[in-house]
Amino acid sequence: MSRIARHVVVRGRVQGVFFLVSTRDEARRRAVAGWVRNQEDGSVEAWLEGDAEAIEGMIGWMDRGPARARVTDLDIGERMPYGYDDFEVRRQ
């Protein structure tokens, strides 16, 4: 299994709709490590690490988000894995 990492910025109605906690729960379910946090511009930023299939599934989930979210855009960048072993919600 080859570990990959992605940096993701999610835009739309993604704050105040349980996006952070839902992302953490989904990532842990998929065995994806990293973090997620709100940004001052109203977007959500995430770092994802895991096997390629899990990351692709996670990005697909983030493109929809939880029920109350309205995702309008995803920016995805390839990164080198940092070595996270859990997934956390970060506060500013």
Side-chain angles (χ1 to χ4, degrees), residues 1-88:
M1 174 179 82
S2 179
R3 189 173 179 95
I4 66 168
R6 297 292 181 266
H7 176 256
V8 182
V9 177
V10 186
R11 293 184 181 82
R13 190 176 79 196
V14 293
Q15 291 190 12
V17 294
F18 302 103
F19 204 99
L20 300 183
V21 171
S22 297
T23 300
R24 180 199 62 204
D25 293 348
E26 188 67 19
R28 287 178 174 172
R29 188 180 75 74
R30 294 176 182 268
V32 170
W35 50 264
V36 64
R37 67 181 170 198
N38 285 332
Q39 293 294 97
E40 289 184 12
D41 67 0
S43 66
V44 168
E45 178 185 24
W47 182 277
L48 311 173
E49 289 187 19
D51 70 66
E53 186 175 333
I55 297 297
E56 290 306 312
M58 191 67 208
I59 290 170
W61 181 89
M62 292 178 82
D63 194 33
R64 296 180 307 277
R68 294 174 49 206
R70 295 294 174 263
V71 176
T72 59
D73 185 53
L74 283 183
D75 285 339
I76 304 162
E78 292 186 23
R79 301 290 189 266
M80 294 297 296
Y82 183 80
Y84 292 105
D85 60 4
D86 193 13
F87 199 94
E88 67 179 13

